[in-house]
Amino acid sequence: MRSDAQILALLDRDPEEGMARLLEQYAGLVWTVSARALQNTEDTRECVNDVFAEFYRRRDEFDPEKGSLKTFLALIARRRSIDAWRAAHRRPATAAEEEIPEAPNPLSLEDRAALNQLIDSLPELDGRILRMKYYGGMSAREIAAALDLPYETVKKRHQRSLKKLRSLWVAGFVLALLALLAACAYVVLRYFGLVPGYGVNTDPTQGTYLLAEPVSAQDGDYEIQIQDALWQNGLLTIDMALYGAESPVTAVSPQLEGVELLSWTMADSGDTASPGPYNYRLMATTKPVGRSDSLAVTLTLWDTPLSLQLTAAQEITDLSSAGAWLLTEEDGGLLAMPRLENGELIVTIYPLHQGEYRTQYSCNEGIWGGFGGPSQPITVTAPDGSILTGEPEFYVPFDERAGLDWYFGPAEPGKYTLNVPFVYQDFAGEFVKTAVMPVQAGAGTELALPGGTLTLENLRPAAADDLPVQFREESRYPGYSWWVVDAVWNGDDPERVLAALSNLMPPAPGMMGVYEDPVAQPLYTTHTEADGNSWQQLTGYCLGVPAGTEQLTFAPVTRNGSLCYRWEHPFTLSFTVEPETPAAEYTVTREECTLTAVPRRVNGAVTVSVYPEKGPGKLTVSPQIAHNPLPGATDEPVTLLAADGTAYTGTYTPGRDGSYSSWKFGNLPAGEYTLCLPSLYLTGPDVPVAVPLPQQEGESLPAGETILPGGRLQIGTVRCLGRAENFPVLATTEEGEILYQDTAMAIGMPDGSIVSLNELPLEAELDLTLQATWKDYTLLSAGVKFGATAEGSEGTACERQYTLAEDGTTQLSGLLLRYKPGLHAANLTFTQPLYRWDCGFTIPITVP
């Protein structure tokens, strides 16, 4: 952010640029003040334009010794909005409303006549573009659509016209008029209401609504729990969990009451093998809901109605108080909110959506990282000129989060500059167009997409190396012919290139497809390397065409991020990092176990980090503290208990360096609380075990028992199931040799080391019974290590099996081993046996 003095100096030196910077810093404030008196969006917009135009003319009256620029603008906004309201309602003003003297209209008739004369001197089309932009408040894309011109043509003509106007008359009068025009152009696009953790609202007439409390309902043998819900910018997102069903309930057509549903999509966790809940996310596009204190929605799923009460969230409309932000004219921008935490610089980056494209919250990381061009890191320039490279927090594909934390390592307070070299964007709307191409060598077609044309050319029969692995077995697709077509992107904006097109829905046989059509490879990319960088470039498609097909119909359906662009637009944001407020620490020891809780408030929300220091006996407290790491397991809630008995439930997040865990509790009042941990998870030392390996199908061998610290691990008989027929085969050579995928590993050495085989391995299963010997402890699981390999790198040599006990506890119950024939025994190591201690650990803390 610039200081008031810097902005005033820039206004004198370059009025147009100075007005742009003034608007970036204070437009949100002026809009908020104006909107308090004016209910109509157009009236508010006109008032805001008048405020900045008046300020430009009266800026010499501003005295920094009497108050800040923020206060001066707020006073003008208050008077202007009252005047506008009074004119609309025709009532006399009160004495309080007349404290600020009336000022003349900032844009006089003489000014307008001079502007019109200058604009008339331009070519007719250029003058029309300027009038549509500045007098009509239209964006370049809206002008392009209205005039049936390419977007880039409108942008170039606009920039050329401004340069020509400056050259016509260098006097300050012309620059002043251009500055006033800049005010009209910029303010139209600048209302943002930030809800930390949930995103930025772009519409002043609409609120942001959050789920007041979780909702659950029982239906037969299963239970549905609504865990979180958010309505913002026309999108209702609902997170839910389904408990008790033996398999996911996939046949669903959600019904909504209280909002008007336009379209919806639903995603699940994809984990059907593990016990525990099935997690779903419903994303529903709705019509606007307006602003009110609450929003009542009834969601019906699987004939089960659930009543959701969403409450209006308080929005931060003065973004300058939240961090540094930068917005382009109409294609979007970024908000950066810096802080120091544990001596490390963390910057939360929120996308500011504007126009047809939505910047992905992961910026240049996530599922599309490395597509469309060379990778370039997000960095900050420190006060001493050194460059710190950022790393994002753990990214979950399709997480739909609003902002992402970027970590830049140890840092000191001071002025920094954030450098974002490019971002990935999705097309914001829905888009369906088709193109037809005959099935004959050399054929091609053009597919119109938002922002450009995808040219498909040079259709040709596919060579064996062109085919994806899963299509090389001809017996799986009899009667199909295989083709390759090149893809060339021709974009309207040179800064925006098509990085990936992942969703191609086939409405008829023989089309290019995605998962619905198993005989088409949707993303056929080429690995590109240059200047020490590598990336994936979309270069074409591989198609399976049924016999008798005479033409192919290409039909991309783009929604929910399936059409991804790489926007090569750099963002540079400057901000000041304030000194870190030392966080209080609260340490409690119980039965040899010591924990330290550190409460903090980040962006208004309370987070409590818990650090383990010592565990009982030979056990150590897991860095996950009270979070069960087993697949499908559910946690008992970690809560903050207020003095009045109110319990607030926390949401688990892993610690940055893996040595602690945190729980987020939202925007709670400051005061005295008790952190309640219903249980702790502890780990013990590794234990080696020798396991016999039978050689014949049906053969069983006894294994015995292993003593663990604080428990026993009983290994039942090891039963041979025969050859592992489902071992992943990559290919078969002409000589008949079987080649397996790189991840296809089996135990191959007596010390437990794993190897790749050129024959099918044997497969055996063994049952495990885990039992803790200490009171209030439950032995849940143990990792498995093979030879000198790291835990978790065994590939297909071992599969862990889990069961769900009657009390809802997830426990390791067996192993499925794959090993080389002729290997009669192998040494395994059970690593870090996992215990749950039902301790009811409590820590009194003070929330700041």
Side-chain angles (χ1 to χ4, degrees):
M1 292 190 301
R2 288 174 168 83
S3 67
D4 291 351
Q6 290 174 323
I7 291 177
L8 292 171
L10 187 58
L11 281 169
D12 290 334
R13 185 172 66 253
D14 186 346
E16 189 176 359
E17 178 66 16
M19 185 62 75
R21 300 288 78 79
L22 178 72
L23 287 157
E24 285 184 356
Q25 197 147 318
Y26 292 114
L29 165 72
V30 173
W31 187 292
T32 302
V33 174
S34 302
R36 290 172 184 167
L38 303 171
Q39 301 300 318
N40 183 279
T41 302
E42 292 302 320
D43 291 343
T44 304
R45 179 180 294 135
E46 184 177 349
C47 180
V48 173
N49 289 340
D50 290 344
V51 168
F52 282 101
E54 179 178 334
F55 168 76
Y56 182 80
R57 288 301 183 85
R58 297 177 56 194
R59 67 187 187 281
D60 291 339
E61 300 175 19
F62 170 65
D63 186 352
E65 295 183 359
K66 295 182 179 180
S68 65
L69 191 55
K70 179 178 180 180
T71 302
F72 190 72
L73 287 168
L75 288 172
I76 299 176
R78 179 168 172 265
R79 180 186 51 74
R80 277 279 177 184
S81 61
I82 291 173
D83 287 346
W85 186 93
R86 189 171 62 219
H89 292 76
R90 298 185 182 277
R91 67 170 179 81
T94 66
E97 294 168 342
E98 294 178 341
E99 292 175 356
I100 305 172
E102 183 70 31
N105 191 312
L107 200 57
S108 66
L109 293 176
E110 292 80 5
D111 292 341
R112 291 185 181 275
L115 264 178
N116 285 327
Q117 184 177 359
L118 286 172
I119 293 175
D120 286 342
S121 69
L122 300 172
E124 181 181 355
L125 180 58
D126 294 350
R128 191 176 180 186
I129 289 173
L130 284 184
R131 285 191 169 92
M132 293 174 75
K133 180 175 180 60
Y134 294 119
Y135 293 167
M138 296 174 67
S139 70
R141 292 196 183 279
E142 291 170 336
I143 297 170
L147 299 179
D148 195 23
L149 292 173
Y151 167 69
E152 277 302 305
T153 298
V154 172
K155 286 183 68 175
K156 290 176 181 177
R157 281 184 171 270
H158 167 251
Q159 293 165 358
R160 184 180 62 191
S161 298
L162 290 182
K163 290 180 180 178
K164 188 171 183 180
L165 285 179
R166 291 190 186 98
S167 67
L168 289 176
W169 195 359
V170 186
F173 172 71
V174 174
L175 294 179
L177 293 180
L178 291 178
L180 296 178
L181 289 181
C184 298
Y186 277 89
V187 172
V188 167
L189 303 176
R190 278 168 167 73
Y191 173 84
F192 296 108
L194 170 67
V195 181
Y198 289 93
V200 181
N201 176 23
T202 60
D203 188 345
T205 67
Q206 305 297 312
T208 297
Y209 299 91
L210 307 176
L211 185 66
E213 58 183 24
V215 176
S216 63
Q218 199 80 23
D219 189 345
D221 296 331
Y222 62 87
E223 178 182 345
I224 304 172
Q225 290 187 2
I226 305 298
Q227 300 167 328
D228 199 5
L230 162 70
W231 191 98
Q232 188 179 71
N233 297 322
L235 182 66
L236 175 63
T237 303
I238 301 176
D239 289 327
M240 64 196 82
L242 179 69
Y243 290 86
E246 294 183 357
S247 61
V249 183
T250 55
V252 56
S253 181
Q255 300 176 16
L256 287 172
E257 298 178 17
V259 292
E260 188 171 347
L261 181 64
L262 298 178
S263 64
W264 64 273
T265 184
M266 198 162 179
D268 58 47
S269 62
D271 187 2
T272 61
S274 301
Y278 300 107
N279 297 307
Y280 295 87
R281 163 163 281 164
L282 172 65
M283 290 168 285
T285 303
T286 75
K287 285 194 172 181
V289 299
R291 281 191 177 272
S292 62
D293 293 335
S294 62
L295 177 64
V297 177
T298 299
L299 169 66
T300 301
L301 289 171
W302 306 296
D303 298 325
T304 303
L306 299 105
S307 297
L308 313 182
Q309 190 69 28
L310 285 76
T311 58
Q314 186 173 359
E315 299 177 352
I316 300 174
T317 54
D318 179 11
L319 294 193
S320 61
S321 67
W325 64 292
L326 182 64
L327 185 74
T328 66
E329 177 191 338
E330 57 183 28
D331 288 331
L334 299 174
L335 164 67
M337 302 174 64
R339 68 183 186 274
L340 287 177
E341 190 173 302
N342 293 333
E344 182 176 18
L345 174 60
I346 304 174
V347 182
T348 305
I349 302 179
Y350 288 90
L352 302 178
H353 299 308
Q354 190 70 56
E356 295 179 312
Y357 300 94
R358 298 179 66 86
T359 298
Q360 296 180 3
Y361 86 94
S362 57
C363 291
N364 62 352
E365 292 290 334
I367 58 174
W368 300 120
F371 275 80
S375 299
Q376 296 169 274
I378 291 179
T379 63
V380 295
T381 304
D384 62 0
S386 60
I387 304 297
L388 307 178
T389 301
E391 295 181 1
E393 65 176 306
F394 181 70
Y395 174 79
V396 179
F398 312 112
D399 194 18
E400 293 294 322
R401 279 186 287 184
L404 193 65
D405 282 345
W406 288 77
Y407 296 81
F408 293 91
E412 298 292 334
K415 293 186 179 296
Y416 289 78
T417 301
L418 176 71
N419 307 291
V420 181
F422 70 92
V423 295
Y424 288 111
Q425 292 186 317
D426 305 322
F427 182 64
E430 295 189 4
F431 180 87
V432 181
K433 280 197 175 181
T434 61
V436 177
M437 182 174 67
V439 181
Q440 60 187 37
T445 188
E446 289 188 349
L447 187 60
L449 294 174
T453 302
L454 186 66
T455 301
L456 303 173
E457 58 188 20
N458 190 24
L459 183 69
R460 59 194 183 278
D465 292 342
D466 292 326
L467 294 180
V469 172
Q470 64 267 36
F471 300 151
R472 292 180 182 176
E473 188 179 343
E474 294 183 4
S475 61
R476 294 180 63 186
Y477 304 104
Y480 276 77
S481 59
W482 297 93
W483 300 76
V484 170
V485 63
D486 296 330
V488 179
W489 172 249
N490 303 292
D492 300 332
D493 185 348
E495 284 190 338
R496 186 176 285 109
V497 299
L498 181 65
L501 178 56
S502 66
N503 196 7
L504 299 166
M505 307 279 289
M511 286 190 173
M512 194 163 60
V514 176
Y515 311 107
E516 292 80 6
D517 182 359
V519 293
Q521 177 72 0
L523 193 59
Y524 183 51
T525 61
T526 298
H527 187 77
T528 304
E529 294 190 12
D531 300 326
N533 255 299
S534 63
W535 63 92
Q536 297 295 320
Q537 198 73 36
L538 190 153
T539 57
Y541 293 88
C542 184
L543 312 171
V545 181
T549 303
E550 296 182 355
Q551 66 181 26
L552 297 172
T553 303
F554 298 88
V557 180
T558 71
R559 59 167 65 92
N560 298 325
S562 59
L563 185 61
C564 176
Y565 298 87
R566 177 179 166 121
W567 189 28
E568 302 280 359
H569 183 87
F571 287 90
T572 302
L573 295 87
S574 297
F575 49 73
T576 299
V577 178
E578 302 294 340
E580 181 177 9
T581 302
E585 299 182 356
Y586 303 88
T587 300
V588 172
T589 298
R590 175 181 167 190
E591 299 181 26
E592 302 182 61
C593 180
T594 301
L595 299 178
T596 296
V598 181
R600 296 184 180 86
R601 192 177 291 273
V602 178
N603 299 331
V606 174
T607 295
V608 181
S609 300
V610 182
Y611 298 79
E613 296 183 24
K614 187 178 183 301
K618 294 183 178 181
L619 301 182
T620 58
V621 180
S622 166
Q624 294 177 307
I625 310 296
H627 173 69
N628 193 325
L630 298 184
T634 56
D635 293 325
E636 293 182 72
V638 171
T639 59
L640 272 183
L641 186 63
D644 63 0
T646 304
Y648 300 92
T649 301
T651 301
Y652 165 81
T653 56
R656 169 67 177 160
D657 60 3
S659 65
Y660 66 97
S661 297
S662 297
W663 278 263
K664 297 180 179 180
F665 293 93
N667 191 0
L668 305 184
E672 304 298 322
Y673 292 83
T674 300
L675 179 67
C676 302
L677 306 169
S679 57
L680 296 178
Y681 292 92
L682 305 100
T683 60
D686 298 349
V687 177
V689 176
V691 176
L693 301 173
Q695 300 298 303
Q696 301 294 328
E697 183 176 354
E699 180 183 2
S700 297
L701 298 175
E705 182 180 80
T706 297
I707 302 299
L708 303 174
R712 293 195 303 271
L713 190 153
Q714 178 70 44
I715 305 176
T717 55
V718 183
R719 301 177 297 278
C720 181
L721 305 179
R723 295 278 182 165
E725 298 294 340
N726 61 344
F727 206 59
V729 176
L730 178 63
T732 304
T733 66
E734 294 181 357
E735 294 77 19
E737 181 184 7
I738 298 175
L739 303 177
Y740 296 96
Q741 295 183 13
D742 293 340
T743 57
M745 310 293 287
I747 305 173
M749 303 291 180
D751 67 355
S753 298
I754 56 177
V755 296
S756 297
L757 300 180
N758 57 2
E759 62 177 323
L760 287 176
L762 290 170
E763 195 170 56
E765 63 179 3
L766 56 94
D767 295 329
L768 299 174
T769 302
L770 291 77
Q771 183 177 359
T773 56
W774 296 346
K775 183 182 178 181
D776 297 328
Y777 282 75
T778 304
L779 181 55
L780 299 175
S781 183
V784 184
K785 181 179 176 181
F786 295 80
T789 63
E791 183 183 356
S793 63
E794 65 272 11
T796 54
C798 173
E799 292 182 14
R800 298 172 179 83
Q801 299 171 333
Y802 294 90
T803 59
L804 188 65
E806 293 182 0
D807 63 355
T809 301
T810 300
Q811 283 188 294
L812 180 69
S813 59
L815 299 177
L816 185 66
L817 303 178
R818 296 182 178 93
Y819 51 94
K820 182 179 180 180
L823 183 66
H824 293 273
N827 292 322
L828 311 182
T829 300
F830 287 92
T831 63
Q832 295 189 321
L834 179 69
Y835 298 82
R836 187 188 69 230
W837 177 27
D838 298 318
C839 56
F841 211 101
T842 59
I843 308 176
I845 65 173
T846 299
V847 171

